[in-house]
Amino acid sequence: MQTLVLSAISNPVRIKLLCCLSKKNKNVQELIDSCGLTQSAVSQHLSKLKKAGLIKNERQGKFIFYSLTNSKTAEIANKLNSFCKEVN
């Protein structure tokens, strides 16, 4: 499981998605709009994050909303995002 988590957060796009979800639960279209990615890219990255246990989903009507499984995930994602910006 540790390898899945580390692999999932090793990608800057997935860190960006986690940061987007740290603010509020979102559906795929909202993630596409806020992160500027294609639908297929968002879906593939969400699949890896879910497999690693970092996010979960819940159907609400015709939409599926994604959220973080743990508040620590938001903290770590935001710190990684800030760190990457500082280093670059």
Side-chain angles (χ1 to χ4, degrees):
M1 186 65 155
Q2 185 179 16
T3 303
L4 287 175
V5 171
L6 293 175
S7 176
I9 63 172
S10 69
N11 183 292
V13 173
R14 290 193 285 272
I15 293 172
K16 186 175 183 177
L17 286 170
L18 291 172
C19 289
C20 287
L21 290 172
S22 72
K23 297 173 182 90
K24 73 171 205 158
N25 300 351
K26 295 184 178 185
N27 63 38
V28 171
Q29 187 59 52
E30 290 173 317
L31 290 168
I32 290 168
D33 293 342
S34 64
C35 294
L37 300 168
T38 65
Q39 186 274 329
S40 63
V42 169
S43 294
Q44 289 176 1
H45 288 297
L46 289 175
S47 176
K48 290 187 180 198
L49 291 169
K50 188 173 179 189
K51 187 175 179 180
L54 297 173
I55 63 169
K56 59 185 175 183
N57 62 352
E58 180 183 327
R59 180 172 290 282
Q60 295 178 9
K62 65 178 185 170
F63 296 103
I64 297 175
F65 282 83
Y66 292 86
S67 61
L68 301 179
T69 56
N70 186 316
S71 61
K72 285 280 190 191
T73 304
E75 183 181 336
I76 290 168
N78 287 315
K79 285 184 179 184
L80 277 172
N81 191 40
S82 293
F83 176 73
C84 289
K85 286 179 181 177
E86 284 180 29
V87 171
N88 289 330

